[in-house]
Amino acid sequence: EDGEEVSTRRLKLDIKKMIEVEDTHKPLTDDKIAKLLGKAGVKISRRTVAKYRDQMNIPGSRERKRVI
């Protein structure tokens, strides 16, 4: 059980870091985040990324987009 909790916290931290450094004019979608994590060897669905993002009170890509 502890291992699962640690991995969840780690994934949330990874997602948060990705969003912090994203291009605010073209923010990462949940699908893109899931694909990037997949390339790093982490199997995660878009829905799980969305769930974790919501749990961290991070808005979706549309709300994070900065208009010039």
Side-chain angles (χ1 to χ4, degrees):
E1 290 179 24
D2 289 341
E4 190 172 323
E5 184 179 321
V6 169
S7 62
T8 299
R9 274 189 268 151
R10 178 68 202 180
L11 276 171
K12 285 182 179 181
L13 185 62
D14 289 345
I15 292 167
K16 185 176 181 181
K17 284 180 181 178
M18 291 171 109
I19 291 172
E20 286 174 351
V21 298
E22 73 187 358
D23 177 0
T24 56
H25 297 293
K26 193 172 182 202
L28 297 169
T29 62
D30 296 335
D31 187 53
K32 183 66 176 173
I33 292 170
K35 286 179 181 176
L36 289 170
L37 288 170
K39 286 181 183 179
V42 179
K43 187 174 181 182
I44 187 170
S45 72
R46 178 205 57 80
R47 292 178 65 178
T48 304
V49 170
K51 180 177 82 171
Y52 290 168
R53 184 182 45 71
D54 286 341
Q55 289 174 353
M56 294 184 291
N57 297 315
I58 298 172
S61 60
R62 287 183 180 161
E63 291 83 22
R64 295 192 319 269
K65 186 172 184 171
R66 301 280 188 261
V67 181
I68 301 172

